[in-house]
Amino acid sequence: MSFAYVVVTVLTIAVNAWAAIADFARAGFVLANSAALGVPHSWIPMLGALKAAGAAGLSLGLLGVPLVGVAAAAGLVLFFTGAVVAHVRIRVYGPIAVPAGYLGLAVACLVLGVA
């Protein structure tokens, strides 16, 4: 396990845990972003649960279950690819940097986890 993998994965865990908490708390920016994208507010808890599951899986990967960490990273790559596609499809480019950044972190976790 490389130092780079640990640093990137800890950062990815932190931002996804924070995003999941914001979803569960129904933070104002979460509600505004979901409304702009046409995502029903009833989906927000499930989206938060997926982010939390990704963070938990990455944590397990760091704790010695590398296949779970790789699977979690792959799941987050798929999740945030969908988020970026949703922004492009609806042409909401202002906040696209956030899911794109999360996607970049998830890709880095996946690449470093497989390496």
Side-chain angles (χ1 to χ4, degrees):
M1 186 179 313
S2 73
F3 179 73
Y5 173 72
V6 172
V7 170
V8 170
T9 303
V10 167
L11 178 60
T12 305
I13 291 166
V15 298
N16 278 283
W18 176 84
I21 291 167
D23 286 352
F24 295 139
R26 295 184 175 267
F29 71 91
V30 171
L31 297 177
N33 194 37
S34 66
L37 295 174
V39 174
H41 288 180
S42 62
W43 289 15
I44 294 173
M46 180 56 67
L47 298 175
L50 291 171
K51 293 171 194 171
L58 290 175
S59 298
L60 285 173
L62 284 179
L63 295 173
V65 190
L67 290 178
V68 173
V70 169
L76 288 171
V77 167
L78 292 173
F79 181 91
F80 288 112
T81 297
V84 169
V85 167
H87 280 78
V88 170
R89 182 177 58 85
I90 303 296
R91 296 187 175 117
V92 176
Y93 301 114
I96 197 170
V98 175
Y102 283 30
L103 174 60
L105 286 171
V107 167
C109 283
L110 182 58
V111 168
L112 291 169
V114 170

